Amino acid sequence: MSDLTDISDRRIESTPGRPAHRDPNVLRWVGAYTASMVGDMVFFLALSWAAVQNGTPAQAGLVTAVSAVPRALLMLGGGVVADRLGPRRVVIGSDAVRCGAVLAVAAVLFAADPGLWLLALLALVFGTVDAVFLPAVGALPARITSKDQLARVQGLRGLAVRFAAVVGAPLGGLGVALGGAAAAFAFAGLLIAVSLPLLVSVRMRDLPADDAPTARGTTAWRDLVGGLRYVRRHRVLGPLMVTIALGDLGFVGPLNVGLTLLADERGWGASGMGWVLAGFGTGAGAAALLLTVRGRLPRAGCVAAGAIIPGAAAIAALAHAPGLPAAVGTALLIGLLTGLSGAMCGALLQTQSDPAYLGRVTAVGGIVSLGIAPLSMPLSAAAIGAWGTGPVFAVSAVVCGLGGVVALCAPGVRRAELPK
């Protein structure tokens, strides 16, 4: 613990004028985050493969879903932990635990075949650790760069996520092909391990006096209640959470299970679905790159809301695309618009929140995105089975578009600007 305390106390003074994408301190954090995200992608592919090999499809589905339960139930508490202990200390500890757990399971799988129970236990550990890791990751950027660079950091983070999505699955498949699930787990653990020395080398900024960490005299429960009250009463964060919830509810179903069913219905096959997903990823990556290069877009709240509404219309149009090329182009537009709105919403969360509350603010956003939005997937699948893709995509677009309407109707969000 003393080592973690030492590294969490390393501070840097502000260096105004240095863009985040040229700041070595920020780039070390981005490198650590990217390595960790790629490791996550390899891990989940290895977990799915190992579960399918050791059980029925239903059992495999339960194993892969186990991690979502503690993540959703404990994330609000994880936000309190991140704010009380400091985000970097929590991120380093979380990555160390995840790395150790994955490498331990890889070693067991090399030596024996313990069955599904070990995989379920690993998924449970991973989900529990994620409950503190994700809020801490969201709170860390405000401690490593100045406020006017947080939007740019959000763009860098988006690029890291897209890179992990493109690279992680092939690397996981390569690991499975070379040495089965054990080799893939070992590869995932080593990738997560790469993040640790980079995180140790990241230096922290001193918070302003009015952004001081949570008072030590308060209890964790009071911190949790205080964080929820802070979000609810904030003129930007409160309505922005509603915007994010509606946007994700309308987006997750169609672009996950809905797209699979649409590709099957149209005869595009797995390769066609892959092309549509590639179009979406390209558009979202372009939005992240734009924010990384520009660093700031004027009238951020209006941009976020204005991108959500046409993005929602494009979701409805995807179900009526006359052919695969049109579907790919529509998906690219969806990725660009929803990627831009998502990046702007994330940047506003970062810049509008006091750093002392960022762990809890990120936790609330994570509950919305990871706890509530996935519920739309089984509902979308059942609805498509009953009414077809067109009506369900249209309803999803309306829900998503309502998020933009909420943002436009909330004066705080509509007038929100990113720092200059």
Side-chain angles (χ1 to χ4, degrees), residues 176-346:
V176 169
L178 293 177
F185 277 129
F187 195 19
L190 292 175
L191 283 166
I192 296 173
V194 170
S195 70
L196 293 173
L198 290 171
L199 287 169
V200 169
S201 68
V202 171
R203 295 171 296 168
M204 303 285 282
R205 290 178 178 272
D206 288 315
L207 293 180
D210 58 343
D211 289 336
T214 305
R216 295 188 182 276
T218 64
T219 64
W221 176 252
R222 287 181 179 177
D223 289 346
L224 175 59
V225 173
L228 294 175
R229 186 182 298 116
Y230 173 77
V231 171
R232 180 173 59 84
R233 293 178 176 177
H234 199 285
R235 65 185 185 88
V236 176
L237 299 180
L240 195 60
M241 290 298 181
V242 178
T243 296
I244 293 171
L246 290 170
D248 283 351
L249 278 172
F251 173 82
V252 169
L255 266 295
N256 286 275
V257 64
L259 180 59
T260 303
L261 297 174
L262 179 64
D264 181 66
E265 176 186 292
R266 296 296 187 85
W268 296 338
S271 62
M273 186 178 70
W275 279 107
V276 175
L277 288 173
F280 167 76
T282 300
L289 182 61
L290 173 65
L291 195 56
T292 300
V293 174
R294 289 290 303 272
R296 181 185 184 274
L297 296 178
R299 301 183 64 82
C302 285
V303 170
I308 291 174
I309 294 173
I315 291 174
L318 181 61
H320 303 283
L324 182 58
V328 173
T330 304
L332 190 148
L333 182 62
I334 294 172
L336 180 64
L337 292 171
T338 59
L340 180 61
S341 63
M344 297 304 290
C345 287

